[in-house]
Amino acid sequence: MEGNREKRRGIFLTLAGGMCWGISGCFGQFLFQEKGATANWLVSIRLLTAGILLLIIGYIHQGKKLNEVFHKKADAKKLLGFSVFGMLFCQYTYFAAVQYSNAGTATVLQALAPTVILAFVCIRNLKLPKGFELTAVISAVLGVFLLSTHGNIHNMMLTKQALFFGLASAIGAASYNLLAADLLRGYGVYVVVGFGMFFGGLVLCAIVRPWNLMIPLDGETLLALFGVIVIGTAIAFSLYLKGVSIVGAFMGSLLGTVEPVTAIVVSFLFLGSKFQWIDLLGFALILGTVLLLSLRSPHEEA
C-alpha cells in the first residue's frame, strides 16, 4: 500500500513538472502577443535569471561541490560548449518558434527531438533503424507534413520562420540531451543546467543587449516573467526530477508528453490559438512518435 502511494506521488510530481514546462511556453507566447517582447529579449533574461536561481538552489543542496566541474579542464570546456550549443541553441530556437507560431505548435515540434537522436545514433553506429523505429520516423514526418501544410503540399499553414525554428528546436533539444548526458551523470542537474543557463544567458545578453528593448514592466509582464523563469524553470525542474527519481526514467519519459499537451490546451483556452482537426492529427502523430521511441531499451541509445 505504501509503495503504491509513493508511486502515485511520483506520477503526480512528474506530471506537475511537465505541465509547468508547458505553461512556461504559454507565458512566453503572452509576452510576444501582448507586450511586444521578442525571443532575443525573453531568452536572454530567462537564461541569465533562471541560471542564477538554479545555482542558488544547487548551492543549498550541494554547497561548494557546485564548483567541482571547474576543477577538471575538460569538463569545464564541455560545460561551456553545452551552454552555447546545447542550452542557448535549444532555448532560443524554442521561444523563437513560439514567437512565430504558438506555444502548442512549438512544443510539439520540439518533441521531435527523440527522432533526431535516433537519426544520430543510427548514423554513428552505421545501422538502419529497426521496424518500429522506422514506423516512428514515418509518423513524425507525416505529423510535421500535416501540421505545416494541412495535407496540401502547395499550401503552407505555418510560416517559414515557425517551421524553421520549430524543427531547429528539435535539433536543439537533441543536442541539449546529447551534450549534457555525461555532465549530468557526473555533476547533477543543478550544476549543469544552472551554469548552462547562466553562461548561455551571458553570451546572449552580450549579443542582443536586452536592456535596449523597452518592454512595459507592468504587473502582467512581471507575472508572465515569473511564469517563464520560476514556474518554468526552478519549480518545473524540481518537481519533475523528484518525480522521476520515484517512478524512473522510462515512466518519466512517457509522462513528459504532458508538456506539449498542456501547451496546446492552455494556448487554445487562454491565448486564442486556433487549431483545426488536422493540426490535432499532426500533433497526435508526432507525440505518438515520442511514445513509441520511449519503448527503446536504454542500451539502444548508448
Side-chain angles (χ1 to χ4, degrees):
M1 183 66 71
E2 183 65 30
N4 289 336
R5 185 181 295 113
E6 183 68 2
K7 185 175 181 180
R8 286 195 297 270
R9 176 171 170 265
I11 291 173
F12 171 79
L13 292 172
T14 306
L15 288 173
M19 291 172 69
C20 285
W21 275 319
I23 293 171
S24 169
C26 295
F27 278 116
Q29 182 180 334
F30 171 80
L31 288 169
F32 298 143
Q33 289 181 351
E34 305 297 333
K35 300 299 178 180
T38 64
N40 288 350
W41 181 85
L42 180 59
V43 175
S44 58
I45 290 177
R46 192 234 177 167
L47 286 179
L48 190 61
T49 310
I52 293 172
L53 184 59
L54 286 176
L55 289 174
I56 291 172
I57 297 173
Y59 184 79
I60 293 172
H61 282 85
Q62 298 176 239
K64 293 183 179 180
K65 289 184 178 180
L66 198 68
N67 296 319
E68 285 185 352
V69 66
F70 299 108
H71 296 168
K72 294 183 179 180
K73 191 174 182 180
D75 287 345
K77 287 182 178 179
K78 284 183 182 179
L79 180 60
L80 292 175
F82 164 73
S83 300
V84 176
F85 300 107
M87 179 62 73
L88 176 54
F89 182 65
C90 175
Q91 291 291 313
Y92 181 80
T93 52
Y94 169 71
F95 277 104
V98 173
Q99 180 180 343
Y100 288 111
S101 57
N102 56 69
T105 301
T107 309
V108 170
L109 287 174
Q110 190 180 62
L112 287 165
T115 308
V116 177
I117 294 175
L118 170 64
F120 173 80
V121 170
C122 289
I123 293 172
R124 185 185 64 182
N125 297 337
L126 298 177
K127 69 173 186 178
L128 295 174
K130 296 179 179 179
F132 78 94
E133 293 174 334
L134 187 59
T135 301
V137 171
I138 293 172
S139 175
V141 172
L142 181 58
V144 173
F145 173 73
L146 293 179
L147 192 60
S148 58
T149 67
H150 282 185
N152 183 352
I153 197 170
H154 302 293
N155 183 31
M156 279 294 293
M157 302 306 298
L158 291 178
T159 65
K160 292 180 180 179
Q161 295 98 322
L163 186 59
F164 172 80
F165 283 113
L167 295 177
S169 73
I171 297 173
S175 66
Y176 173 100
N177 284 282
L178 292 170
L179 291 172
D182 291 339
L183 290 170
L184 286 170
R185 282 192 289 266
Y187 299 100
V189 68
Y190 289 114
V191 172
V192 178
V193 178
F195 279 118
M197 285 189 164
F198 178 72
F199 291 135
L202 284 179
V203 170
L204 191 57
C205 281
I207 296 172
V208 306
R209 300 181 180 182
W211 49 86
N212 289 334
L213 181 61
M214 301 303 294
I215 300 294
L217 293 178
D218 53 24
E220 289 181 337
T221 300
L222 293 176
L223 180 61
L225 285 173
F226 179 86
V228 171
I229 295 168
V230 179
I231 296 177
T233 306
I235 295 176
F237 273 108
S238 298
L239 290 174
Y240 185 81
L241 292 171
K242 180 61 178 177
V244 169
S245 71
I246 297 172
V247 301
F250 170 71
M251 180 64 74
S253 66
L254 297 180
L255 295 173
T257 55
V258 74
E259 178 188 351
V261 173
T262 300
I264 293 167
V265 172
V266 173
S267 63
F268 172 76
L269 291 177
F270 299 103
L271 296 173
S273 299
K274 304 296 183 183
F275 302 111
Q276 298 182 25
W277 69 268
I278 201 164
D279 294 318
L280 300 180
L281 178 58
F283 291 155
L285 287 169
I286 292 172
L287 296 182
T289 298
V290 178
L291 293 173
L292 192 56
L293 292 181
S294 295
L295 298 176
R296 286 182 298 164
S297 58
H299 73 270
E300 292 179 275
E301 295 185 19

